[in-house]
Amino acid sequence: MSAFERVTRRSLLRGGAVVLGSAMAAPLLSACGGGGKTGNAKELTFWNFYGPNPQADAQSKWFTDLVAAWNANNEVKVKLHYLPVSEYLAGTALQTAFSAGQGPDIFLLSPGDFLRYHNGGVLADLMPHLKPDQIADFDGGVLDTRKVDGKIYGLPMEQEPLAMYYSIDAFEKAKLAEGDLPQTWDQLLDVAAKLTTKDQFGILFETIPGYYQNFTWYPFMWMAGGSAVPQNGGAGFNVPGVHQALKLWQDAVNNKVAPRKPQGDGAGNAPANLASGSVAMQQSGIWSVSQLEQEKKDFKYGVFRLPVPEGGTYTTDIGGWAFVANAKGANPEAAAKFIAWALGATDAAGVERGRQWNTVVKTNLPARKSVQEAAKAAGAFDKPALKVFLEQVVPGGRGEPRYTPEVYKAVSDAIQATQLGGVDPAKAAADAAAKIDTFLKGYKGAVML
């Protein structure tokens, strides 16, 4: 398997942390609003990190086939422009292009970076090109973090939820069974202690600072009733629930049932951590199903949904990339039409495209109901792990939040200070909340969710 094929969401998000951090130093996309439209109105550029890539893998072929099908039937053509992940996310190529007024007509965007581009005025509204039945086909809530004032600014390709993975052999050695799978935070630490040996930690949470660590911690914040940004006058960051969520991760490390550093390239890498025997339980996303199948085919594991705190409500974080159109490009209307067709078409070909991407080319949950049904009919979720994701993990989940870089950094600092720095959770939360509150007083952009 090539290095490109081993790229998973955790590494994309960690790369994204560099981009997000850079936004703290200077206004983002400050130059994008000026001047007229640039580019070729008859040939739209589509920047992405999938294809056509040098390895010509299945993901790359899906993209090239998609564009070929569009170009065969439309006067306005689409041309793929491939950028390696290191350049697309960890570099500044996309930002630099937009700041110079030369951004691509179509590009990939995650909710975590949505406000950077929406607040910069470069995302086109897709609503005029979507029929009501197309919008209704998207799974409940999946469009929320791509909406502003009822308008849709991106169509998601996929859903990538987080869950807990566990080693069946490790459970058996500790004389634990499926009935011992933890359902509460207290049970999680208790079971982790029973699974901990001199050669193995009981549980693994991400400890490497960055956007991925935030992504994996947010569900704990939500389940305890907190939020990085106060919603509708509700709880904010400096509340008991947030203190509790920070303390959970801190206690796991302090009690020595969780490592201070993961194996491989981080705590989203199941083969390097769970399958290697270094940990017995690991928080990761749906991508680990295909990872383990490709790299550790004989490893026996199970999946269960994230445990809930006392009095809390279950939820998980659901990520996923979206196609977006450049409102300042040469032909925003054609770009929007392409996206509506590529990811929103409800005919047989459109549904099959979605099924191929989500359950053949990759291991995701489809963002659309019709694609989910087609995938089920094809047996895509017959595998026990994927069945758990579909039936138990996703229900009650919410979309990956969209926060500005300033909010992201304040939360990241609080996680690091408590998890590894020994800072009191209440103090870390208060410090972060003060920074967030100060920033929000002058914030003029779209609502953060």
Side-chain angles (χ1 to χ4, degrees):
M1 181 166 44
S2 70
F4 178 85
E5 290 173 308
R6 288 192 296 269
V7 171
T8 59
R9 179 169 182 78
R10 72 193 185 278
S11 55
L12 297 180
L13 288 171
R14 186 160 301 121
V18 179
V19 179
L20 285 165
S22 68
M24 307 273 296
L28 181 66
L29 308 179
S30 57
C32 70
K37 298 185 185 299
T38 60
N40 184 345
K42 295 295 185 181
E43 184 178 83
L44 308 177
T45 58
F46 184 0
W47 284 23
N48 73 96
F49 45 79
Y50 286 110
N53 72 54
Q55 286 75 32
D57 58 18
Q59 294 173 15
S60 177
K61 186 177 185 301
W62 187 89
F63 268 77
T64 56
D65 287 349
L66 173 75
V67 167
W70 168 269
N71 289 345
N73 296 292
N74 290 274
E75 181 182 355
V76 178
K77 309 302 181 185
V78 173
K79 182 178 181 180
L80 290 170
H81 177 66
Y82 167 75
L83 286 172
V85 170
S86 59
E87 293 181 32
Y88 195 95
L89 294 176
T92 59
L94 193 60
Q95 294 178 52
T96 300
F98 273 105
S99 293
Q102 299 177 343
D105 298 287
I106 306 157
F107 58 108
L108 300 180
L109 190 62
S110 74
D113 221 10
F114 176 88
L115 291 180
R116 179 193 308 277
Y117 293 92
H118 180 272
N119 290 347
V122 297
L123 297 186
D125 177 18
L126 306 179
M127 283 284 282
H129 309 285
L130 293 168
K131 297 176 181 178
D133 66 314
Q134 290 179 293
I135 297 172
D137 193 34
F138 281 89
D139 215 358
V142 74
L143 293 176
D144 289 354
T145 51
R146 281 89 175 188
K147 285 183 178 179
V148 178
D149 297 330
K151 298 178 180 179
I152 299 172
Y153 292 91
L155 288 189
M157 308 165 65
E158 60 211 1
Q159 296 188 82
E160 294 184 310
L162 293 168
M164 298 297 299
Y165 289 70
Y166 69 98
S167 165
I168 292 176
D169 286 347
F171 263 61
E172 290 177 350
K173 288 178 182 178
K175 295 182 169 44
L176 296 171
E178 188 173 340
D180 296 305
L181 291 174
Q183 298 181 36
T184 69
W185 289 4
D186 288 342
Q187 290 173 2
L188 181 65
L189 293 180
D190 180 60
V191 171
K194 293 176 180 177
L195 291 165
T196 298
T197 68
K198 65 182 181 66
D199 300 314
Q200 173 184 270
F201 288 97
I203 183 72
L204 173 63
F205 297 120
E206 182 62 89
T207 62
I208 301 172
Y211 192 69
Y212 178 72
Q213 185 182 42
N214 281 36
F215 174 73
T216 60
W217 182 79
Y218 289 140
F220 297 90
M221 173 183 72
W222 293 331
M223 285 190 281
S227 176
V229 176
Q231 301 291 326
N232 301 319
F237 201 72
N238 188 20
V239 296
V242 170
H243 306 166
Q244 187 183 3
L246 290 169
K247 189 174 187 300
L248 173 68
W249 282 29
Q250 183 184 63
D251 286 347
V253 171
N254 287 350
N255 295 345
K256 295 182 170 48
V257 300
R260 297 180 66 88
K261 183 179 180 181
Q263 301 295 312
D265 59 355
N269 187 330
N273 292 283
L274 189 74
S276 73
S278 67
V279 300
M281 296 186 292
Q282 173 178 350
Q283 183 193 20
S284 190
I286 194 169
W287 56 81
S288 286
V289 174
S290 58
Q291 239 191 337
L292 288 166
E293 187 172 304
Q294 293 168 11
E295 299 180 35
K296 299 285 184 177
K297 193 170 184 63
D298 295 329
F299 177 69
K300 295 187 297 181
Y301 71 95
V303 176
F304 63 99
R305 72 181 198 174
L306 300 178
V308 180
E310 185 74 26
T313 301
Y314 166 74
T315 189
T316 191
D317 207 343
I318 302 176
W321 295 91
F323 286 13
V324 294
N326 180 4
K328 306 294 183 181
N331 196 336
E333 183 175 2
K337 287 180 179 178
F338 167 78
I339 293 171
W341 167 83
L343 298 181
T346 54
D347 61 3
V351 172
E352 179 61 11
R353 274 198 303 275
R355 187 188 75 83
Q356 287 287 328
W357 176 256
N358 285 280
T359 63
V360 178
V361 173
K362 289 182 71 181
T363 303
N364 304 313
L365 287 179
R368 291 169 47 193
K369 300 168 189 173
S370 61
V371 178
Q372 286 186 19
E373 292 305 314
K376 288 178 188 176
F381 300 107
D382 290 347
K383 294 178 182 177
L386 290 179
K387 190 177 180 64
V388 170
F389 267 104
L390 181 67
E391 298 179 355
Q392 300 178 35
V393 174
V394 169
R398 60 183 281 185
E400 177 185 352
R402 62 183 197 206
Y403 297 139
T404 64
E406 293 82 0
V407 173
Y408 144 78
K409 186 63 166 59
V411 174
S412 177
D413 288 347
I415 298 170
Q416 283 291 298
T418 53
Q419 185 187 33
L420 302 179
V423 175
D424 177 69
K427 181 182 185 307
D431 290 345
K435 294 175 184 175
I436 293 169
D437 290 344
T438 298
F439 168 72
L440 290 177
K441 288 177 182 178
Y443 179 64
K444 304 294 184 183
V447 173
M448 285 182 262
L449 301 173

